[in-house]
Amino acid sequence: MRYGVNLEIDRSIDDFSGAQPISTVAPIPLPSPAVTLIEKVREAFRALPDGRKQSNARLYEMEDAALSAFAVFFSQSPSFLDSQVRMQKQLGRNNASSLFGVHEIPCDNQIRNLLDPVPPESLYPVMAEMGDALYQQGYLTGFRSINDTLLIALDGTDFFSSENISCAGCSETRLKNGRVLYRHIAVTPVLVAPGQANAIPLPPEFVQPQDGQDKQDCELAASARWLARWGEHYRPWRITYLGDDLYCHQSHCLRVRAQQADFLFTCKPESHATLYEWVDDFQRNEQLGRVVQARRVGKKHFTDTYRYVHQVPLRNTDDAVMANWLELVTTDARGAILFKNAWATSHAITDHNVAALASAGRARWKIENENNNILKTKGYHFDHNFGHGKHFLANLFATLILLAFLVHTALDWMDTRYAKVRGLLPSRRTFFEHLRALLQYLPFDDWDHLMRFMQQRLAPNAPDTG
């Protein structure tokens, strides 16, 4: 093969002889974003801790075990590895190797045994790095919300429960029948924004027993650890934290402000009696701000009524955090209430931004609709017990699923061919049905080969935009 320097020498000879220079070297194609992102994942897996003793008899490396598990979650195919073992025997090649870089495919039990001692924190840096890349390359520009901040929603979700299986990291709940329910709970922070379909998962934090503490761990304590771990990292992005009424708590609001961030938390009357007494006093004195906006959707008419006030206490103590409060009530043409919610926030509220603040507060639901529900109902099987283990396996598998979801989200933006195929198969379920079938029966050279194949079969007359 002739490279650039030699080509220049050849061109000078052609020029001297009077012949027209002819370039015979095709430009070296850049790796697709899918290849680049998978390589980032492989780099992280190569660095996973390996507690085994050094031995020449090792059949599988930690990298292969982690890549094999990741491939199952990425392809949303629990039988992916079995099909690739068969493909290797029949065709002498397999997609686990060509697409994910697996050298030797371990069996399921070997994967569990190798990965059980690996703490999920080992994968947090690669998740953060991918989110940083989306931020630095401008993909999150459209996520800017109130006062030009980015919204990070916090919420906890169960992803494992059993009365019979447990590990050292399980939370325990005493049931009415006296039995103990063992649970795994994750706080799954995500970047969200009004009008944005995607939610971008950030590194999680797991609810689990803490050394030296008698009190059982909880979602709010796990969120506090997440803020201590990641608050400074995301501080330059200018963040507003969203959360349900659980997070509208004196200590948590102070933690957020200590990170030089803002908060916008759901605020219910039953848990904030003092605050609502102040709101009622302002209402009696006609000192609440009030904005009424009529809108029409098709033939239906709605009225949004906003109320707000500044500097009301979160609790009945002398050191109470003074927050600003806003409420949204939506009614139909007959006056029936269709929606009602209220928030406490550190943002100043005006007639001009109260609607935007309420819209940002309502975006908190995206952590449920565009993150947790997708993870549990759209093929990721987040709440399925792929292997509980004795140490970290359940939490590590949950992190691998979040990582696969993050890579899928990044590819929707960064990989032209991947986005084109997703556009031709807009249903997430249908897309992965096609992907599973193809990977089970056909070997592909690389991700570009796979995406080109799918695009050409789905739209044979469309131009190649890769």
Side-chain angles (χ1 to χ4, degrees):
M1 179 181 291
R2 301 193 301 174
Y3 295 90
V5 173
N6 290 332
L7 179 61
E8 291 300 320
I9 295 174
D10 291 344
R11 283 178 175 174
S12 65
I13 294 174
D14 290 338
D15 290 343
F16 181 77
S17 64
Q20 293 296 319
I22 300 175
S23 175
T24 60
V25 178
I28 300 174
L30 295 174
S32 71
V35 171
T36 301
L37 290 175
I38 296 297
E39 183 55 35
K40 286 291 183 185
V41 172
R42 290 184 64 190
E43 289 176 4
F45 291 171
R46 292 188 194 109
L48 291 179
D50 188 348
R52 296 175 296 173
K53 295 180 180 180
Q54 293 294 329
S55 171
N56 293 328
R58 289 186 184 180
L59 182 58
Y60 302 107
E61 296 297 331
M62 297 295 294
E63 175 188 350
D64 284 344
L67 282 170
S68 297
F70 176 77
V72 168
F73 302 137
F74 187 93
S75 62
Q76 296 193 358
S77 174
S79 62
F80 175 76
L81 298 179
D82 291 337
S83 68
Q84 300 314 299
V85 170
R86 290 195 302 272
M87 184 180 293
Q88 181 65 36
K89 291 179 180 179
Q90 295 170 359
L91 304 177
R93 54 193 296 210
N94 70 82
N95 292 314
S97 175
S98 61
L99 301 184
F100 296 97
V102 178
H103 299 96
E104 297 288 342
I105 303 176
C107 71
D108 291 351
N109 287 335
Q110 289 166 327
I111 291 173
R112 295 186 183 100
N113 291 336
L114 287 171
L115 296 184
D116 189 23
V118 179
E121 291 85 351
S122 304
L123 301 180
Y124 295 175
V126 69
M127 291 189 67
E129 184 179 353
M130 288 186 183
D132 292 349
L134 294 175
Y135 174 78
Q136 292 161 3
Q137 296 176 30
Y139 292 101
L140 303 184
T141 301
F143 277 68
R144 288 286 172 190
S145 184
I146 188 69
N147 291 337
D148 203 33
T149 61
L150 291 172
L151 307 179
I152 292 181
L154 301 170
D155 193 24
T157 183
D158 283 41
F159 63 92
F160 169 84
S161 63
S162 172
E163 295 183 23
N164 302 310
I165 301 172
S166 66
C167 73
C170 281
S171 299
E172 299 181 7
T173 300
R174 183 70 61 177
L175 302 177
K176 292 182 178 180
N177 60 10
R179 294 176 62 87
V180 174
L181 179 67
Y182 300 101
R183 305 162 61 201
H184 274 273
I185 307 165
V187 173
T188 55
V190 292
L191 280 163
V192 297
Q196 293 288 342
N198 288 318
I200 297 91
L202 303 175
E205 184 70 38
F206 294 95
V207 176
Q208 56 191 350
Q210 300 296 302
D211 293 338
Q213 294 186 12
D214 295 330
K215 188 176 180 180
Q216 184 162 276
D217 196 22
C218 64
E219 176 184 337
L220 198 61
S223 296
R225 292 196 301 275
W226 189 91
L227 271 175
R229 187 196 300 261
W230 294 106
E232 185 175 353
H233 180 89
Y234 294 111
R235 184 184 300 169
W237 295 18
R238 303 194 309 280
I239 301 298
T240 294
Y241 287 97
L242 310 179
D244 60 21
D245 186 73
L246 174 68
Y247 292 88
C248 194
H249 187 275
Q250 169 99 359
S251 59
H252 197 73
C253 291
L254 289 173
R255 293 187 194 102
V256 169
R257 297 301 285 161
Q259 297 295 342
Q260 299 176 24
D262 287 289
F263 61 83
L264 180 57
F265 296 142
T266 300
C267 183
K268 294 183 177 180
E270 53 267 29
S271 53
H272 295 85
T274 299
L275 184 150
Y276 276 88
E277 287 176 4
W278 281 55
V279 169
D280 291 341
D281 286 342
F282 279 110
Q283 175 68 23
R284 282 191 291 270
N285 295 323
E286 297 183 350
Q287 292 178 320
L288 288 183
R290 190 169 184 269
V291 176
V292 179
Q293 295 179 347
R295 57 187 173 90
R296 178 176 176 178
V297 180
K299 295 183 178 180
K300 296 182 178 180
H301 294 264
F302 303 95
T303 300
D304 296 323
T305 302
Y306 302 91
R307 298 191 301 159
Y308 67 90
V309 66
H310 290 102
Q311 297 297 288
V312 288
L314 283 181
R315 65 184 188 185
N316 187 22
T317 60
D318 292 338
D319 64 347
V321 168
M322 303 299 287
N324 305 323
W325 175 89
L326 69 147
E327 177 191 69
L328 166 62
V329 177
T330 298
T331 55
D332 62 14
R334 297 175 298 175
I337 296 177
L338 304 177
F339 176 85
K340 182 178 182 179
N341 206 354
W343 300 266
T345 182
S346 55
H347 286 288
I349 310 173
T350 69
D351 286 358
H352 301 291
N353 73 359
V354 65
L357 271 166
S359 180
R362 297 185 70 175
R364 186 198 71 81
W365 284 101
K366 290 180 176 292
I367 194 173
E368 292 286 348
N369 299 331
E370 271 78 41
N371 189 72
N372 295 343
N373 288 345
I374 286 178
L375 291 171
K376 293 180 180 181
T377 65
K378 302 300 181 183
Y380 292 95
H381 305 291
F382 190 61
D383 52 357
H384 176 77
N385 180 21
F386 288 98
H388 193 68
K390 298 179 179 179
H391 303 288
F392 303 111
L393 190 63
N395 290 350
L396 183 71
F397 278 166
T399 308
L400 284 170
I401 293 172
L402 289 169
L403 179 59
F405 181 38
L406 175 57
V407 174
H408 290 155
T409 303
L411 288 175
D412 279 338
W413 288 331
M414 301 174 69
D415 193 306
T416 306
R417 284 203 175 97
Y418 183 94
K420 179 67 175 178
V421 174
R422 287 283 285 115
L424 294 168
L425 297 169
S427 164
R428 185 186 298 267
R429 179 174 297 174
T430 303
F431 171 78
F432 282 105
E433 285 176 352
H434 283 237
L435 192 68
R436 282 193 295 270
L438 289 173
L439 296 185
Q440 183 168 0
Y441 295 109
L442 299 176
F444 293 92
D445 298 334
D446 51 35
W447 284 104
D448 194 55
H449 182 198
L450 171 61
M451 290 297 110
R452 280 190 289 110
F453 180 91
M454 295 182 73
Q455 182 178 342
Q456 290 168 0
R457 295 307 186 275
L458 292 167
N461 297 322
D464 187 349
T465 59

